[in-house]
Amino acid sequence: MVIGIFGESCVGKSALAERLKTRLGAEVYTGKDFLRLAKSEAEAKRIFQGLLQAAMDGAHVIYVIAEREHLSLLPEGAVRVLVTAGLETIKARFAQRMGGTLPVPVAGMLERKHGMFDSEPHHVHVKSGETELDAACEQVLRCHPALGRTPDGRG
């Protein structure tokens, strides 16, 4: 099973990935981690896509994505999980990462990027601050074909 968890920075993607990793024993890749697989980016992408494709019927792999262009690396049939949060929540979390202060240019960048994943197709939508992690995990697991459910959760 391949699970693609995507969304903007500081929305809770990593927390969800860690919870799913614990439940599934999954391997987690984040962002450009795949570059470690080969010396050239093109070769690393090819190897990573092969790894993801092989995981569709094998081991569990979670890919945490914060850049839209990386969505294209997900194989067809992967469970796609959109994680969102309100802009003020994102700014507050980002400020914490930066030692408590959010510089104006960074705030502007976050404002420009806010909502950039909202129109992407997904099976599960996790709203940070509204959806509990365990409930989100259950929604994701219901999308697994081995459980006999369709992506919308119906059997």
Side-chain angles (χ1 to χ4, degrees), residues 23 31 35 52 67 79 84 86 90 92 97 99-100 102 124 128 140:
R23 292 199 49 187
L35 292 176
L52 293 176
E67 296 179 41
V79 176
T84 60
I90 293 171
R97 282 189 182 176
L102 188 64
V124 177
S128 188
V140 171

Side-chain angles (χ1 to χ4, degrees), residues 29-47:
Y29 290 87
T30 302
K32 293 185 178 181
D33 281 353
F34 65 87
L35 292 176
R36 294 179 286 163
L37 300 173
K39 292 187 181 200
S40 78
E41 184 171 352
E43 180 68 7
K45 279 183 178 179
R46 188 187 67 69
I47 292 169

Side-chain angles (χ1 to χ4, degrees), residues 53-122:
Q53 190 60 52
M56 289 299 294
D57 296 317
H60 301 299
V61 174
I62 299 167
Y63 184 29
V64 180
I65 302 169
E67 296 179 41
R68 284 182 76 195
E69 62 267 15
H70 291 154
L71 287 170
S72 65
L73 298 174
L74 290 174
E76 188 173 327
V79 176
R80 296 169 60 100
V81 182
L82 170 64
V83 183
T84 60
L87 182 58
E88 293 311 311
T89 299
I90 293 171
K91 285 181 175 181
R93 290 176 180 173
F94 212 95
Q96 286 178 330
R97 282 189 182 176
M98 300 187 78
T101 304
L102 188 64
V104 173
V106 175
M109 180 264 309
L110 293 173
E111 290 165 5
R112 286 188 301 280
K113 289 186 169 193
H114 188 62
M116 69 184 209
F117 287 100
D118 291 359
S119 64
E120 293 295 335
H122 54 276

Side-chain angles (χ1 to χ4, degrees), residues 7-19:
E8 300 165 56
S9 295
C10 296
V11 294
K13 300 179 305 292
S14 295
L16 178 58
E18 282 302 311
R19 186 69 56 96

